Amino acid sequence: QVQLLESGGGLVQAGGSLRISCAASGHTNRHYAMGWFRQAPGKGREFVVAIDRSGNNTYYRRSVKGRFTISRDNANAKNTVYLQMNSLKPEDTAVYYCAADPLSTNIVAGISDYWGQGTQVTVSS
């Protein structure tokens, strides 16, 4: 089993920046592809971004490309992923969920073995 713990959410003004993190614990002797999804009030969960196990390949939702950057720390068998969010817009307001799966293609497709509990990101206008 793998547990995912998100942190770093909060309230920020439009145009501002925020960084959220996700740390994996448990059976982390192998690296996982990781990613982020979000769910706004009254809407379904949507894919935001994913990064493969090596960190060499990333996949972004079109509406966040150029504003959001995903990165990961694989040192010492860590599975920690960061999402730097710049130029935030009110429409980015959502609960952001971390996901981990052996395949980045699964995450892009909305499938994931493991999910975090979510962290709230609120962007005020």
Side-chain angles (χ1 to χ4, degrees), residues 54-120:
S54 68
N56 291 331
N57 295 291
T58 55
Y59 311 88
Y60 290 90
R61 179 178 192 81
R62 186 173 297 182
S63 62
V64 307
K65 203 166 187 178
R67 300 188 297 120
F68 290 12
T69 303
I70 190 170
S71 60
R72 68 181 298 154
D73 180 0
N74 283 351
N76 301 319
K78 278 198 271 187
N79 282 268
T80 304
V81 65
Y82 307 96
L83 183 61
Q84 178 68 42
M85 303 182 288
N86 298 329
S87 303
L88 281 160
K89 304 176 181 180
E91 50 264 43
D92 294 317
T93 294
V95 177
Y96 283 71
Y97 295 92
C98 180
D101 192 272
L103 299 177
S104 55
T105 48
N106 281 349
I107 295 177
V108 174
I111 303 166
S112 184
D113 280 352
Y114 303 104
W115 296 90
Q117 293 298 306
T119 185
Q120 176 71 47

